[in-house]
Amino acid sequence: GSPFTVNQERFGSPTPPFGAVVGAGVRMVAELGDPGELRLAVSTGVSGDPESPHFADHLPAWDRGELFAIALDPSRLEVASELVLAAPGDVVR
């Protein structure tokens, strides 16, 4: 299919075994009746850095077709810690 086709893939070779080199990277379901949450899985995991322990950590769920719930409504978020980045001299409240 074209670049606009759902789940389109590109093959790495014109001869067998072909091997897909480009394909879907995210699966997402957004329930329009609940704008405070969506469900998704990223095939490469939370990090795109191969050196990160979170690289490919979604892959087992991706293979099983499972999705992770992501809260979008701030009142539904559980925050374990917070990091504030500020330029030198900025007042952080």
Side-chain angles (χ1 to χ4, degrees), residues 8-78:
Q8 72 90 14
E9 293 183 347
R10 299 228 174 113
F11 297 109
S13 170
T15 58
F18 304 110
V21 294
V22 174
V26 176
R27 288 187 188 127
M28 180 175 64
V29 175
E31 172 59 52
L32 300 179
D34 182 7
E37 178 180 286
L38 61 86
R39 303 182 73 71
L40 67 85
V42 180
S43 65
T44 57
V46 176
S47 174
D49 178 4
E51 300 297 320
S52 168
H54 297 289
F55 181 76
D57 57 357
H58 281 194
L59 193 54
W62 176 273
D63 285 343
R64 292 188 301 271
E66 298 173 357
L67 301 172
F68 297 95
I70 307 295
L72 300 176
D73 181 350
S75 68
R76 293 165 59 177
L77 296 177
E78 295 178 26

Side-chain angles (χ1 to χ4, degrees), residues 79-86 92-93:
V79 178
S81 65
E82 182 176 354
L83 173 65
V84 177
L85 301 176
V92 179
R93 296 185 182 141

